Amino acid sequence: MKSVGILTGGGDAPGLNAVIRAIVRRSLPRGYRLVGIRRGWRGLLDRETVELDRAATTGILHRGGTILGTSRTNPYKSPDTARVLEANVDALGLDALVAIGGEDTLGVAAKLAASGRKVVGVPKTIDNDLSGTDTTFGFDTAVSIATEAIDRLHSTAESHDRVIVCEVMGRHAGWIALHSGMAGGADYILLPERPIDLDAVCAAIARRRAAGARFSIIVAAEGAALPEGEVTTDAATDAFGHVKLGGIGVRLAGEIERRTGFETRSVQLGHVQRGGTPTAFDRWLGTRYGLLAADMVHEGKFGMMAAYRGGAFEPVPLASAVAALKTVPPGLIDLASTLFA
Ligand code: F6P
C-alpha cells in the first residue's frame, strides 16, 4: 500500500478542508493510505502525523481553517533542518507528499521536489497572488467578507458624515482590495503595487463632498505604502523574511482627517477575512484542486502544482508557480482608478 502525506502550510485559508477531503475520497478507493502531517512543515520536522481516513474527513467541507493545523515553518532556513525534513519524508515511508500552501509553502515544496522527493502542490492563499493559476482558493471568501464589511461601513459612514478607511489583507498584491473595493463601491482603492498619493485621495474625497456626498469609503490593502514605507505592527520578520503588516488604515485616517478636516475612522478587518466558513466557490475550487492533486499522485506527475487556468484544471511545474508573485497589473489599476476619478 502506498502512503501519501498531506500538509497545509502558511496562513490558513477557507477551503483547505475541502482539498484534504477530496484527496482522501479520491485516493482511498485506489488503495492509498493517507497520512496527515500536523502543523505544516513543522509537523514533518517533528514527525507529527495523523491517519486520514473517511471518518477523519467527514463533516469538514463547510469548516474554515484546516483540520491539520498549520505553521510558517521554513525547513530550508538551515541545512540541518533541510536534512531532517528530507530524511523524515523517507523515514515516514511517504511515497508522495501533497503540500497545500502559498508562495512560501510551495517554495519549500519545490526545493523538496528538487531533492528527489515526490511532491505535488496545491495553490492556497486568500491574497490570490500565486502565478501559474488563475485563482487560489480562499480568495473568494476573503473578498466576500471584505465586501460585506464595506457594505456595512457605508450606512454608518453616511449616518455620521464620515470618511471610513477599511484596511484589508494583501501583503504584496492588492487583489482583495481591488475586488472588494470594486464590489463594495469604494471611493478610493489603495494597493501595495502603487505608492499612496495622499493628495489624490483627499482630492477625491473633496470632490465627493462638493458633489453632495457627505461620506466616503476608502479601501486600503495592508501592504499599501506611503512614500516613506509600509506600516508594520512588528519589525521582526518571520521564517520567510516577512514583516507583520498592519496599521496603514489608522495612519491614513489620521492623515485624511488632518488634511481634509472631515471626521475619519478606520477599520482593520485582519484575520476575520481568513476565518469561518468558505463560500460555495471556494469549497468547489478546493474540491477540484484536491481531486486533481490525487490524480497527479496516481499518475506520477510530481514536481507539479494543480492549477486552474482558463476554466480547465491542469498540472503546471511547481518551479514556475513560485518563480514570481502575481500582482495587480498597472493597466488594471488605471482602469479601476477611472471609477473614482
Ligand atoms: O499571506 C496571506 C496573509 O493573509 C497576508 O495577506 C497577511 O499579511 C498574512 O497572511 C498575515 O498572516 P499571519 O498574521 O497569520 O502571520
Side-chain angles (χ1 to χ4, degrees):
M1 185 187 266
K2 286 193 171 172
S3 293
V4 180
I6 304 177
L7 68 80
T8 56
D12 67 336
L16 279 166
N17 291 326
V19 182
I20 297 167
R21 174 179 175 271
I23 297 170
V24 171
R25 292 200 174 199
R26 186 79 164 156
S27 305
L28 280 179
R30 288 172 168 161
Y32 290 91
R33 172 179 172 238
L34 286 313
V35 180
I37 316 288
R38 303 273 306 141
R39 296 180 296 118
W41 298 115
R42 182 74 257 157
L44 203 42
L45 292 176
D46 296 345
R47 294 200 207 171
E48 201 188 330
T49 63
V50 56
E51 203 68 23
L52 287 178
D53 53 17
R54 213 169 156 108
T57 53
T58 293
I60 64 169
L61 184 59
H62 62 285
R63 277 171 56 189
T66 160
I67 59 165
L68 293 175
T70 185
S71 67
R72 292 196 186 276
T73 305
N74 181 2
Y76 282 102
K77 219 178 160 189
S78 92
D80 288 346
T81 48
R83 265 193 299 278
V84 173
L85 178 85
E86 291 165 10
N88 281 355
V89 173
D90 307 333
L92 288 168
L94 299 178
D95 298 290
L97 178 70
V98 181
I100 312 168
E103 48 154 339
D104 298 327
T105 304
L106 296 185
V108 172
K111 287 182 186 153
L112 190 58
S115 82
R117 274 72 187 182
K118 295 175 176 166
V119 184
V120 164
V122 176
K124 165 248 61 162
T125 163
I126 65 163
D127 291 350
N128 197 33
D129 57 1
L130 268 177
S131 297
T133 192
D134 292 347
T135 315
T136 54
F137 68 87
F139 175 62
D140 185 65
T141 307
V143 169
S144 302
I145 293 167
T147 303
E148 191 195 332
I150 295 164
D151 287 348
R152 288 174 183 278
L153 292 175
H154 266 89
S155 61
T156 176
E158 190 168 15
S159 302
H160 286 265
D161 293 348
R162 281 175 176 157
V163 177
I164 299 188
V165 182
C166 180
E167 179 182 319
V168 299
M169 278 189 169
R171 192 186 274 147
H172 305 295
W175 293 108
I176 296 176
L178 183 76
H179 284 222
S180 64
M182 275 189 176
D187 301 305
Y188 215 99
I189 303 172
L190 298 163
L191 312 175
E193 287 83 352
R194 197 168 280 183
I196 297 172
D197 179 350
L198 259 174
D199 292 337
V201 177
C202 294
I205 295 169
R207 270 198 307 277
R208 275 177 59 78
R209 287 272 168 151
R214 301 197 55 80
F215 73 98
S216 292
I217 304 288
I218 313 299
V219 174
E222 61 180 350
L226 290 160
E228 57 266 33
E230 294 165 327
V231 180
T232 59
T233 55
D234 186 347
T237 54
D238 69 13
F240 291 93
H242 306 298
V243 289
K244 281 198 199 101
L245 293 172
I248 186 65
V250 182
R251 182 77 178 277
L252 283 172
E255 282 293 330
I256 290 169
E257 186 165 298
R258 194 176 60 78
R259 289 180 181 221
T260 63
F262 302 141
E263 197 180 12
T264 306
R265 296 283 194 272
S266 69
V267 170
Q268 188 183 36
L269 294 187
H271 297 85
V272 169
Q273 295 158 95
R274 287 211 321 233
T277 189
T279 57
F281 180 81
D282 278 337
R283 296 180 206 186
W284 167 82
L285 187 61
T287 299
R288 290 297 309 263
Y289 277 139
L291 293 173
L292 175 58
D295 287 350
M296 287 162 67
V297 168
H298 195 55
E299 291 159 16
K301 293 180 178 154
F302 298 115
M304 311 281 280
M305 178 186 86
Y308 179 49
R309 286 145 66 101
F313 287 86
E314 60 192 18
V316 298
L318 253 178
S320 71
V322 295
L325 274 185
K326 184 178 68 189
T327 52
V328 182
L332 190 47
I333 302 176
D334 292 339
L335 183 65
S337 302
T338 61
L339 295 169
F340 33 82

